[in-house]
């Protein structure tokens, strides 16, 4: 009993962490292990099939046209959206780093879009993109242009979805970069101006180098986020036309929850998890350094 | 006028033109939702939609109310507040433990980084095993099941947010309380808790926003209309009816209002709140 008492005093702080630890293990460690396990099985809960197949799911994956298209589209979406969002965000942050009248009023308005539910945003944009009744095509027609098949043209649909993401999430890049700009001490600029530097040179030799970490962070967080793209595809195009907007998340969703090919879906999930983790680890390493 | 001053004025005008253009692009879709929700169908389901509504009607709002949209509202409120409360209840002691004690073998750091990794992992990856787990506990199509599944988002998030807020509490305050003979638990509830209060509120608000808007788990784990949350209801609306935009936009506005009001309170914390969060 006495020994137990001492042990309790020494390790009782574990109790603070215990509930969180249990929940996290139950909700993440176990499911991840299970997904990994299932990826080696042919598993269909509806038809009650569960058979070990080794690496067959993975091999099938890389000859599956839908998966490969999904991979390509996810990559295009992620790069297109991330780069544009960070560039636009940088431009916006530079504008808002200057003091002007009404700045405090405009700032919350600029970040408005990211407060809305993605489904609400999809509802709005889908109505605006509509071929016959949409406001975009109405505007184009009244200006004498041909209407555009925003979500129906297979070469354009993916970029129409990218545009919605840019509208929604540029504010996020903007906030990160604005914080970065405001952490640069003003004396640096004054000193450089005394030395005769102006406009673009100030930007290239002071702003950009000192903003590097924030730009990197914005690129990292946005690329991780866009890589998971699912909801916009679901609500705007349903993966179509054809496979034009098929993405990896959407592929996993359909394999797993429409065809109940859970083994194949799990294999795709493992591949996706590893890809995202590889990028996340860059961020996590930075956090690790900061914590230590 | 000196050329220098002329240049300055031109720059000033250009700046404002650009700013107004940006504001127009940012706000137009929201304006469009607002006006569509009060237009009559003749004014939006047409090849020539009107830029301004000629006649304002609240018919669509009446309609969605009559058709029982409040039910999706209540479901969403339950899920958002339920998962937030559960998360805070579990995350606050965890954040305190992680901030104040050194765990053996860097367990604390490993836990924190694991949680961060999970936070960034695609939700669809965990969906398959979670589906079968919820099923075996009889929690599929149950709001409680969704509350538990949402801990994957809200718990890592709350732990990290609260960790930073707890660290901001000077340890001297606690030491003073300990010298006065207060127990750990008492220090925690009577001293630390109130000091972290504003941080708890901010974390709670972000967590509510996050779960209020969540889509994919709600889509996968709630298959019966009576348990739908607002995003799922909206998604069905979008995909099932081609141009029933009046009621759709009315629901969109109604479901966004609570979030917009809440977000007003956290302007100050936006960066902290969003940098490690969202979606």
């Amino acid at each position: 009993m006495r020994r137990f008492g001492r042990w309790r005093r020494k390790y009782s702080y574990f109790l603070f962490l215990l509930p969180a630890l249990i929940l996290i293990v139950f909700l993440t460690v176990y499911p991840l292990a299970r997904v990994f396990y299932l990826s080696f099985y042919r598993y269909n809960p509806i038809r009650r099939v569960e058979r070990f197949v080794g690496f067959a799911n993975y091999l099938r994956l890389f000859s599956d046209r839908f998966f490969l298209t999904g991979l390509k589209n996810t990559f295009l979406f992620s790069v297109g959206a991330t780069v544009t969002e960070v560039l636009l965000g940088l431009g916006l942050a530079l504008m808002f780093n200057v003091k002007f009248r009404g700045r405090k009023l405009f700032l919350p308005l600029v970040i408005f879009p990211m407060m809305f539910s993605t489904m609400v945003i999809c509802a709005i944009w889908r109505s605006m993109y509509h071929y016959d009744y949409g406001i975009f095509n109405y505007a184009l027609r009244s200006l004498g242009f041909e209407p555009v098949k925003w979500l129906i043209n297979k070469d354009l649909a993916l970029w129409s979805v990218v545009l919605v993401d840019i509208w929604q999430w540029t504010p996020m890049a903007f906030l990160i970069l604005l914080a970065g700009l405001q952490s640069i001490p003003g004396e640096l600029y004054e000193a450089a101006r005394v030395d005769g530097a102006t406009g673009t040179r100030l930007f290239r030799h002071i702003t950009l180098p000192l903003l590097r970490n924030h730009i990197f962070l914005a690129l990292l967080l946005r690329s991780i986020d866009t890589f998971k793209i699912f909801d916009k595809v679901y609500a705007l195009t349903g993966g179509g036309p054809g496979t034009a907007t098929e993405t990896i998340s959407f592929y996993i969703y359909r394999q797993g929850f429409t065809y109940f090919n859970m083994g194949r879906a799990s294999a795709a999930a493992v591949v996706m998890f590893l890809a995202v983790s590889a990028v996340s680890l860059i961020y996590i390493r930075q956090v690790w350094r900061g914590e230590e | 006028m000196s050329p220098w001053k002329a240049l300055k004025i031109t720059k000033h005008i250009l700046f404002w033109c650009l700013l107004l253009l940006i504001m127009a692009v940012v706000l137009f879709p929201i304006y469009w939702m607002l006006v569509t929700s009060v237009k009559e169908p003749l004014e939006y389901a047409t090849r020539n939609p009107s830029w301004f509504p000629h006649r304002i009607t609240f018919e669509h709002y009446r309609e969605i109310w009559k058709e029982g949209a409040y039910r999706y509202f209540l479901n969403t409120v339950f899920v958002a507040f339920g998962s937030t409360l559960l998360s805070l209840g579990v995350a606050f002691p965890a954040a305190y433990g992680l901030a104040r004690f050194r765990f053996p073998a860097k367990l604390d750091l490993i836990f924190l980084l694991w949680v961060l990794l999970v936070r960034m992992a695609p939700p669809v990856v965990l969906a398959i095993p979670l589906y079968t787990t919820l099923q075996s506990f009889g929690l599929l199509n149950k709001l409680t099941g969704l509350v538990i599944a949402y801990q994957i988002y809200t718990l890592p998030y709350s732990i990290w947010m609260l960790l930073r807020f707890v660290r901001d509490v000077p340890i001297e305050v606690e030491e003073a309380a300990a010298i006065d003979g207060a127990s750990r638990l008492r220090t925690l509830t009577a001293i630390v808790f109130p000091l972290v209060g504003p941080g708890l509120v901010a974390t709670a608000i972000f967590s509510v926003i996050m779960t209020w808007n969540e889509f994919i788990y709600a889509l996968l784990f709630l298959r019966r209309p009576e348990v739908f949350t607002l995003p799922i209801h909206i998604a069905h609306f979008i995909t099932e009816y081609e141009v029933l935009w009046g009621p759709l936009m009315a629901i969109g506005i109604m479901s966004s209002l609570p979030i917009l009001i809440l977000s007003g309170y956290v302007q100050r914390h936006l960066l902290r709140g969003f940098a490690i969060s969202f979606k």
Side-chain angles (χ1 to χ4, degrees):
Chain A
M1 247 0 248
R2 194 100 151 271
R3 284 238 327 258
F4 177 72
R6 205 159 63 214
W7 186 87
R8 203 187 61 183
R9 257 199 306 285
K10 205 168 158 207
Y11 290 109
S12 59
Y13 59 86
F14 264 105
L15 287 179
F16 286 115
L17 195 57
L18 202 60
L21 193 65
I22 291 172
L23 258 176
I24 288 293
V25 169
F26 174 71
L27 285 172
T28 68
V29 178
Y30 163 74
L32 267 178
R34 173 101 180 132
V35 137
F36 192 68
Y37 168 88
L38 280 181
S39 72
F40 296 104
Y41 280 76
R42 203 185 146 78
Y43 178 61
N44 187 325
I46 302 294
R47 288 196 228 145
R48 298 187 180 281
V49 184
E50 186 170 357
R51 184 158 44 87
F52 182 77
V53 291
F55 281 96
N57 283 326
Y58 290 94
L59 293 175
R60 282 286 293 284
L61 217 53
F62 286 97
S63 58
D64 187 338
R65 191 169 60 88
F66 290 97
F67 181 75
L68 295 175
T69 314
L71 207 60
K72 189 189 87 192
N73 286 339
T74 307
F75 187 72
L76 287 177
F77 180 91
S78 186
V79 171
T82 302
V83 170
T84 322
E85 282 162 26
V86 172
L87 282 179
L88 289 177
L90 181 61
L92 263 180
L94 287 170
M95 282 184 80
F96 275 85
N97 198 34
V98 185
K99 285 205 169 48
F100 59 87
R101 197 174 299 168
R103 183 178 175 277
K104 275 223 163 70
L105 186 83
F106 285 113
L107 195 73
L109 288 180
V110 168
I111 52 182
F112 226 38
M114 69 185 204
M115 295 297 170
F116 286 86
S117 149
T118 304
M119 278 309 122
V120 173
I121 288 169
C122 288
I124 305 172
W125 281 81
R126 208 171 137 136
S127 82
M128 297 197 301
Y129 276 148
H130 195 276
Y131 183 74
D132 289 317
Y133 303 155
I135 188 76
F136 289 162
N137 280 349
Y138 171 59
L140 285 175
R141 275 196 312 266
S142 10
L143 294 172
F145 293 101
E146 284 288 298
V148 172
K149 293 178 171 165
W150 298 101
L151 297 170
I152 316 164
N153 180 335
K154 67 175 170 43
D155 296 321
L156 190 66
L158 185 69
W159 304 109
S160 300
V161 183
V162 167
L163 186 62
V164 181
D165 199 81
I166 292 170
W167 182 79
Q168 186 184 9
W169 289 111
T170 296
M172 166 85 141
F174 161 69
L175 276 181
I176 295 172
L177 296 170
L178 184 64
L181 281 177
Q182 292 187 334
S183 68
I184 301 176
E187 298 93 69
L188 276 180
Y189 290 103
E190 277 156 37
R193 268 201 206 97
V194 171
D195 292 345
T198 50
T200 43
R201 290 197 50 173
L202 285 178
F203 180 73
R204 265 195 26 219
H205 295 290
I206 299 184
T207 314
L208 268 189
L210 287 174
L211 204 57
R212 219 183 51 199
N213 283 338
H214 282 85
I215 294 177
F216 183 69
L217 180 68
L219 284 172
L220 203 65
L221 291 181
R222 286 314 302 146
S223 57
I224 292 173
D225 212 31
T226 47
F227 198 77
K228 309 175 202 169
I229 177 70
F230 174 81
D231 36 18
K232 289 190 188 71
V233 169
Y234 181 93
L236 290 173
T237 62
T243 56
T245 53
E246 175 94 14
T247 65
I248 308 180
S249 282
F250 205 68
Y251 177 85
I252 298 173
Y253 162 75
R254 279 204 317 194
Q255 287 294 329
F257 293 92
T258 312
Y259 310 136
F260 290 96
N261 254 335
M262 296 228 168
R264 180 112 55 100
S266 297
V270 170
V271 172
M272 189 181 191
F273 179 71
L274 292 179
V276 172
S277 299
V279 183
S280 311
L281 280 175
I282 305 172
Y283 177 60
I284 288 174
R285 213 183 52 182
Q286 281 194 342
V287 178
W288 175 288
R289 285 208 192 117
E291 290 287 315
E292 265 189 344
Chain B
M1 205 191 307
S2 70
W4 185 77
K5 200 171 174 200
L7 185 73
K8 205 177 159 189
I9 291 176
T10 325
K11 261 176 134 175
H12 199 69
I13 292 171
L14 278 178
F15 177 87
W16 276 94
C17 288
L18 188 61
L19 187 71
L20 291 179
L21 181 74
I22 291 168
M23 294 320 292
V25 172
V26 168
L27 296 179
F28 181 76
I30 298 164
Y31 164 78
W32 199 241
M33 167 163 69
L34 205 65
V35 292
T36 306
S37 77
V38 293
K39 276 184 191 172
E40 295 186 340
L42 273 174
E43 279 190 57
Y44 61 75
T46 162
R47 285 167 63 86
N48 310 315
S50 51
W51 294 96
F52 308 99
H54 299 305
R55 256 196 60 182
I56 289 181
T57 166
F58 290 98
E59 189 51 42
H60 305 307
Y61 289 88
R62 275 239 320 270
E63 193 179 323
I64 57 164
W65 184 260
K66 258 201 347 241
E67 278 168 15
Y70 57 88
R71 166 166 234 153
Y72 310 120
F73 233 91
L74 292 180
N75 289 345
T76 316
V77 168
F78 177 83
V79 171
F81 283 82
S83 29
T84 298
L85 281 180
L86 178 58
S87 264
L88 289 186
V90 173
F92 178 63
Y96 180 79
L98 291 165
R100 289 295 188 247
F101 301 100
R102 286 188 73 95
F103 287 70
K106 289 192 180 165
L107 259 180
D108 41 354
L109 197 53
I110 291 169
F111 177 78
L112 275 171
L113 296 177
W114 171 255
V115 149
L116 194 59
L117 184 72
V118 169
R119 181 77 201 81
M120 294 198 276
V124 75
V125 165
L126 297 175
I128 294 166
L130 275 177
Y131 185 85
T132 44
T133 309
L134 288 177
Q135 197 168 32
S136 59
F137 281 91
L139 288 172
L140 222 52
N141 285 321
K142 295 263 165 57
L143 294 174
T144 346
L146 200 61
V147 166
I148 292 169
Y150 277 175
Q151 297 310 307
I152 292 179
Y153 301 103
T154 53
L155 193 54
Y157 175 69
S158 309
I159 289 174
W160 269 97
M161 280 285 276
L162 291 176
L163 180 69
R164 294 172 188 183
F165 285 116
V166 173
R167 279 182 182 157
D168 288 346
V169 176
I171 194 141
E172 291 79 21
V173 181
E174 282 181 56
E175 283 165 356
I179 289 167
D180 291 344
S183 70
R184 263 280 176 215
L185 206 64
R186 183 142 171 74
T187 319
L188 189 63
T189 50
I191 312 267
V192 183
F193 190 76
L195 282 173
V196 181
L200 273 168
V201 172
T203 310
I205 288 178
F206 279 111
S207 167
V208 166
I209 295 179
M210 207 182 327
T211 43
W212 188 278
N213 292 341
E214 203 278 343
F215 178 65
I216 184 164
Y217 283 169
L219 174 78
L220 296 177
F221 303 148
L222 305 176
R223 294 278 172 111
R224 288 209 316 265
E226 62 268 28
V227 286
F228 278 179
T229 56
L230 284 164
I232 305 308
H233 178 60
I234 294 173
H236 273 261
F237 215 116
I238 299 175
T239 46
E240 272 170 33
Y241 308 106
E242 182 69 16
V243 290
L244 221 56
W245 292 333
L248 176 60
M249 298 306 166
I251 297 181
I253 300 247
M254 294 311 288
S255 72
S256 309
L257 273 182
I259 295 308
L260 294 181
I261 293 166
L262 280 179
S263 71
Y265 284 99
V266 283
Q267 290 291 342
R268 216 156 42 87
H269 297 286
L270 272 181
L271 193 65
R272 234 187 198 186
F274 276 104
I276 59 159
S277 83
F278 256 78
K279 240 183 199 168

